Amino acid sequence: MLFRQLEYFVAVAQERHFARAAEKCYVSQPALSSAIAKLERELNVTLINRGHSFEGLTPEGERLVVWAKRILAEHDAFKAEVRAVQSGITGTLRLGTVPTASTTASLVLSAFCSAHPLAKVQIASRLAATELYRRLRDFELDAVIAHPAPTDSSDVELIPLYEEHYVLLSPADMLAPGVGELRWPDAAQLPLALLTPDMRDRQVIDAAFADHGLTVTPQVETDSVASLFAQVVTGNSACIVPHTWLWTTSISGSTSADVRAVQLVDPSLKVQIVLGTNAAGPGSPVARALSACAQQLTLDEFFDAQLRSLTRQR
């Protein structure tokens, strides 16, 4: 059994199409099919249901794809470990974040990039937490910044990073002068733009309204926090975002002439954000290096200072 055979098999399982898998692996389709057929003969099982095209994996194929992803991930981690011994941390860190953590990721990465200048980073920042954890478990990501996994997370190592508090951003003329806090029922009366329902932050927001017997129907839904802010700037809508997003905006720590930010209370929600890495095996050197940097951070102090500055605007 060769690593190349496993790579071809995983590619077919992911693409669900032989030609696309061959293109992804930079080989001809006959070469890919031949390698997978040889793998089947070596294991003495049929891995793929074949007709005129790909028709899904057999039960044996479904089991093998799990093992193949792990074997390939640990093979890549081993090669990265050897390179790290020789020349320090190199390679690419594949980081996934929920949309509301897309800006705070830069604070987590700052120390990592300074300590490991030869490493590169790729960020996927518009995925729901469930998809992020799926990709982490399937070794498609090295680390995620998200809400804690909602199900059993024994296969994921979690490091607490900070807590989110929720604030309402609105055009200045939508709120009475001097208001520094707003109750959730009052926020429900405003025209709202919110994240899409599959996003964990949206689910937390909906639950807060539901605690008051309210269901909100936003006029605009998006998977981008930047898009939410744009809706506010145009004067059409208010939006609800974690306070950890405000530090990158012009209203952080002060009141803009056009946009107001107020803390949402009754309840004042706190939601944990964590750094997650795959707990299977020794893990990749870049993921371990990021975890080591993250454990030295005090992000709650930084963000709480932002929130205190905001609540003084009463």
Side-chain angles (χ1 to χ4, degrees):
M1 184 187 303
L2 302 175
F3 287 114
R4 183 177 64 252
Q5 293 171 303
L6 295 179
E7 289 172 358
Y8 293 173
F9 172 64
V10 170
V12 172
Q14 291 175 334
E15 297 296 327
R16 305 187 68 81
H17 192 276
F18 284 96
R20 289 197 300 267
E23 183 178 356
K24 181 178 182 179
C25 296
Y26 302 102
V27 296
S28 67
Q29 184 173 336
L32 179 138
S33 298
S34 175
I36 293 177
K38 183 177 180 182
L39 178 62
E40 290 177 316
R41 289 195 299 272
E42 291 177 5
L43 297 176
N44 195 31
V45 294
T46 299
L47 300 173
I48 298 173
N49 293 314
R50 298 173 177 83
H52 294 295
S53 60
F54 178 86
E55 295 183 356
L57 301 180
T58 65
E60 294 84 357
E62 294 285 359
R63 292 299 304 151
L64 178 62
V65 75
V66 175
W67 282 99
K69 288 178 179 179
R70 175 172 295 185
I71 291 168
L72 292 173
E74 294 191 353
H75 177 241
D76 290 341
F78 170 72
K79 291 192 295 184
E81 195 83 56
V82 172
R83 290 194 299 268
V85 171
Q86 295 173 333
S87 57
I89 299 295
T90 59
T92 300
L93 170 70
R94 301 165 300 170
L95 177 65
T97 77
V98 290
T100 51
S102 60
T103 54
T104 57
S106 63
L107 300 174
V108 180
L109 290 171
S110 178
F112 171 81
C113 291
S114 296
H116 309 290
L118 297 180
K120 300 182 183 299
V121 182
Q122 292 178 347
I123 304 175
S125 61
R126 294 177 64 176
L127 297 172
T130 51
E131 176 63 12
L132 289 175
Y133 282 110
R134 184 199 68 77
R135 295 191 184 193
L136 181 66
R137 291 185 172 99
D138 284 350
F139 305 98
E140 297 171 19
L141 292 172
D142 299 301
V144 301
I145 298 177
H147 306 86
T151 56
D152 176 41
S153 56
S154 59
D155 55 349
V156 177
E157 183 176 347
L158 302 178
I159 298 173
L161 289 179
Y162 57 85
E163 288 183 328
E164 293 180 333
H165 304 259
Y166 288 88
V167 297
L168 180 126
L169 304 184
S170 79
D173 58 5
M174 281 190 184
L175 298 176
V179 171
E181 294 181 345
L182 198 68
R183 296 176 65 249
W184 290 87
D186 297 324
Q189 304 305 311
L190 299 175
L192 292 174
L194 297 176
L195 292 171
T196 52
D198 61 316
M199 298 293 174
R200 178 59 181 155
D201 279 292
R202 170 64 185 280
Q203 294 163 7
V204 172
I205 290 167
D206 284 346
F209 283 124
D211 285 344
H212 290 278
L214 300 170
T215 301
V216 296
T217 305
Q219 186 174 17
V220 176
E221 293 180 318
T222 175
D223 60 359
S224 165
V225 179
S227 179
L228 290 181
F229 185 62
Q231 290 294 318
V232 177
V233 171
T234 58
N236 295 323
S237 307
C239 73
I240 299 172
V241 296
H243 77 299
T244 52
W245 193 75
L246 296 180
W247 72 282
T248 61
T249 72
S250 61
I251 63 172
S252 177
S254 64
T255 302
S256 166
D258 300 316
V259 176
R260 297 274 304 281
V262 297
Q263 186 178 3
L264 285 164
V265 297
D266 189 22
S268 297
L269 297 179
K270 295 182 180 181
V271 179
Q272 184 74 59
I273 296 295
V274 301
L275 175 72
T277 55
N278 199 313
S284 69
V286 288
R288 293 202 307 274
L290 181 66
S291 296
C293 291
Q295 292 178 27
Q296 306 303 314
L297 299 176
T298 55
L299 293 180
D300 270 325
E301 294 181 11
F302 175 80
F303 292 128
D304 285 350
Q306 303 285 320
L307 188 61
R308 286 194 299 272
S309 177
L310 177 65
T311 54
R312 282 197 296 266
Q313 303 166 26
R314 296 188 181 185

